[in-house]
Amino acid sequence: MRQPLRRQLFLPFGILVVGATVAVAVVTAAVSARTRQADAIQRLERVVETLRASQFPFTPAVLAQMHGLSDAQFVVREPDGSVRATTLDPVPTELGSGRFSANEVVDRLTLAPSVQVGDVAYYAAELPLTTGIERGTLLVLLPVRALRRLGWSAAWPPLAAGAIASLAVLLMARSIAGRFTRRLDAIGGQVMQIAAGSADRLVLEGPDDELRKLATAVNTVSDQLRQQERTVRQTERMRLVAQLSSGLAHQLRNAASGARLAVQLVQRRHPDVAVRELDVALTQLKLIEDHIKRLLAVGPERGTTLRPGSIEDLFRSVEDLVTPMARHSGVALEFDAHGADSRWVPDLEGVRAGLLNVVMNGMEAAGRGGTVSVEAAAVEGGALEIRVSDSGPGPNPDIAERIFEPFVTSKPEGVGLGLAYVRRTIEQLGGKVSWRREGERTRFTLVVPETEPVASGTTKGVSASCR
């Protein structure tokens, strides 16, 4: 049987507190009632003492005044038992001689067990009168109902206070229990969402306590699981890319090599025809071959020889490749190295392939009449920063946070591998890729480590999988 935490934690606490409150209230009420009754009896004793010590006769008027001071009834009897004066009206016949036993005639007022006089029950005491003026006995009758009323009037305030305090404790315990259980239910719901694989971050209301710490730990677990899920998904996609690229690379590379040989043959036979255009075509075909080779690196790690190059060579080759497309698309291009022309990147071909991909994406986003600017600068830490900004609207908000993941694209004809390839290539060189919106422009930033210049035609004996 399920035992709610509210019942386990707060029910015993509530019972203990309420029990203690009720016990204190009952004891206080009992003490107050006894004290009030004792005060009434002491006041009555003082009245009786005054009567016994008085030197004036006990007339009905005197007895009436004493009745007003003490709420008791008084009866003066002659030695023969006849009633001479009383506050009772009418005078009851059962108060004749012999009504009270000898042990009830005491020197000091003592309440005897209750007696019934008419319809009223009284506590009774009979005291002898021995003054020079009066002889006989004084019968004092204190109504049982009056004495109980005095006790109740003293007892009900602490009882009421105890009841109110108990109710307040119960309501407070219920409120505290509800607040705790609601927060625990929220954490439990978050855990169930994590188990279902669709958990958002939990914002737990309430004070900064252990439950808030627990919610923070749950959020941390959720973030880690989400990151691991993205990593697994990306790994699976990379594996799929590797499988697809392995099957297509051989055929595509052969086709590109054949086309490049055909263009070279045309150049040899007609060396003065469309020299620049044929050079661009050869460069593009060579670039296709490089892309096919590097596509395999998106999957498993494979070593690739690094060929460093300068920013000047990088910008010039990219500009030559994209200028014809820019003219055809009506996009204005601007390249500015900001004095970093002589700086060297660790792999000219890899950085050129990544930069070319980003520039072409920017041209497509900017559209006719748009602008694309490419800048380079040296930054702290021995790195080079290459910035590509365009006047386009930026990535679709639905995929903005995942644009570097494989197969993520908003283009109907797109595959979603371009930016994944860019990130993979730059990260293999020990760099990083990022993007952000700056006003009305979108900026992609490629950061790569700077390398020392090397002699022309030499390469570095480092694999692309090294960092």
Side-chain angles (χ1 to χ4, degrees):
M1 181 178 178
R2 181 174 180 268
Q3 293 292 332
L5 189 61
R6 177 189 301 182
R7 184 181 303 171
Q8 296 182 48
L9 290 180
F10 295 99
L11 186 59
F13 170 75
I15 292 176
L16 179 62
V17 174
V18 171
T21 304
V22 171
V24 171
V26 170
V27 171
T28 304
V31 172
S32 299
R34 290 180 180 275
T35 302
R36 182 69 63 86
Q37 291 173 345
D39 290 343
I41 293 174
Q42 289 178 1
R43 187 168 61 251
L44 180 59
E45 287 181 344
R46 287 194 296 267
V47 171
V48 171
E49 290 297 330
T50 301
L51 288 175
R52 294 179 63 184
S54 64
Q55 299 296 322
F56 50 82
F58 293 158
T59 63
V62 172
L63 295 180
Q65 290 180 354
M66 298 301 102
H67 170 69
L69 293 174
S70 62
D71 288 334
Q73 302 290 347
F74 298 93
V75 179
V76 178
R77 296 194 299 186
E78 297 291 351
D80 59 2
S82 61
V83 177
R84 179 164 58 82
T86 181
T87 56
L88 294 172
D89 186 23
V91 179
T93 59
E94 60 267 26
L95 292 179
S97 178
R99 176 72 178 92
F100 299 95
S101 60
N103 62 356
E104 292 170 341
V105 180
V106 295
D107 291 335
R108 187 171 179 81
L109 179 64
T110 301
L111 293 178
S114 62
V115 297
Q116 192 76 20
V117 179
D119 296 332
V120 182
Y122 294 93
Y123 291 112
E126 189 173 17
L127 300 100
L129 298 175
T130 58
T131 63
I133 298 178
E134 296 289 349
R135 289 290 185 272
T137 58
L138 175 64
L139 184 60
V140 181
L141 301 174
L142 182 61
V144 174
R145 183 178 301 173
L147 194 61
R148 291 176 179 175
R149 185 168 57 248
L150 285 174
W152 173 246
S153 65
W156 79 261
L159 290 177
I164 294 174
S166 299
L167 180 61
V169 168
L170 288 176
L171 292 177
M172 183 178 298
R174 181 177 180 181
S175 175
I176 295 174
R179 185 166 63 250
F180 271 86
T181 52
R182 282 193 299 272
R183 300 174 75 196
L184 286 173
D185 288 343
I187 296 175
Q190 176 75 355
V191 173
M192 294 301 295
Q193 290 184 12
I194 293 175
S198 60
D200 297 327
R201 288 187 63 83
L202 173 64
V203 179
L204 189 65
E205 299 178 354
D208 188 6
D209 53 8
E210 286 78 2
L211 290 181
R212 175 68 63 82
K213 186 177 181 179
L214 177 60
T216 302
V218 171
N219 283 334
T220 301
V221 172
S222 177
D223 293 341
Q224 292 176 349
L225 289 176
R226 192 180 295 110
Q227 180 61 37
Q228 291 177 2
E229 181 183 2
R230 284 197 295 264
T231 302
V232 170
R233 188 184 300 114
Q234 182 176 348
T235 302
E236 292 298 325
R237 290 175 176 175
M238 290 293 189
R239 186 177 294 112
L240 178 59
V241 171
Q243 294 173 354
L244 293 175
S245 60
S246 297
L248 295 176
H250 181 69
Q251 289 81 356
L252 293 178
R253 185 176 181 183
N254 289 341
S257 298
R260 185 158 63 93
L261 290 175
V263 173
Q264 290 174 342
L265 183 59
V266 171
Q267 279 187 319
R268 294 192 187 98
R269 292 180 178 179
H270 306 281
D272 55 346
V273 177
V275 176
R276 180 176 177 81
E277 288 75 6
L278 290 177
D279 287 341
V280 171
L282 285 174
T283 305
Q284 291 281 14
L285 289 172
K286 179 62 169 60
L287 191 61
I288 290 175
E289 290 184 290
D290 292 339
H291 279 313
I292 293 173
K293 288 188 297 182
R294 290 179 177 274
L295 186 60
L296 297 175
V298 178
E301 300 282 355
R302 298 190 181 181
T304 302
T305 303
L306 303 183
R307 295 178 175 83
S310 66
I311 293 291
E312 180 182 7
D313 293 338
L314 174 66
F315 276 22
R316 183 174 60 251
S317 60
V318 172
E319 185 175 8
D320 290 341
L321 290 172
V322 299
T323 296
M325 183 183 299
R327 290 175 180 172
H328 178 75
S329 303
V331 178
L333 286 175
E334 180 182 355
F335 286 81
D336 190 351
H338 293 293
D341 305 66
S342 58
R343 306 279 184 164
W344 281 55
V345 296
D347 183 18
L348 179 61
E349 294 182 2
V351 177
R352 179 177 61 190
L355 179 60
L356 183 61
N357 200 312
V358 175
V359 172
M360 293 178 67
N361 283 347
M363 292 169 54
E364 185 176 353
R368 186 169 297 276
T371 61
V372 176
S373 63
V374 184
E375 302 173 327
V379 294
E380 295 181 358
L384 295 173
E385 188 176 86
I386 303 172
R387 299 182 293 268
V388 180
S389 65
D390 63 76
S391 58
N396 190 319
D398 295 336
I399 62 170
E401 295 183 357
R402 300 181 293 116
I403 59 175
F404 292 110
E405 296 180 9
F407 303 110
V408 174
T409 180
S410 59
K411 303 175 185 178
E413 72 285 357
V415 179
L417 293 177
L419 291 178
Y421 167 70
V422 173
R423 183 177 69 173
R424 180 74 173 187
T425 300
I426 298 302
E427 288 183 350
Q428 283 183 338
L429 298 175
K432 61 181 180 179
V433 183
S434 61
W435 78 276
R436 64 177 178 176
R437 287 286 293 178
E438 294 182 344
E440 298 298 324
R441 299 184 69 84
T442 304
R443 169 182 286 188
F444 281 80
T445 303
L446 285 65
V447 180
V448 295
E450 183 179 0
T451 189
E452 295 294 331
V454 296
S456 178
T458 62
T459 61
K460 281 199 172 185
V462 182
S463 69
S465 60
C466 297
R467 301 241 177 144

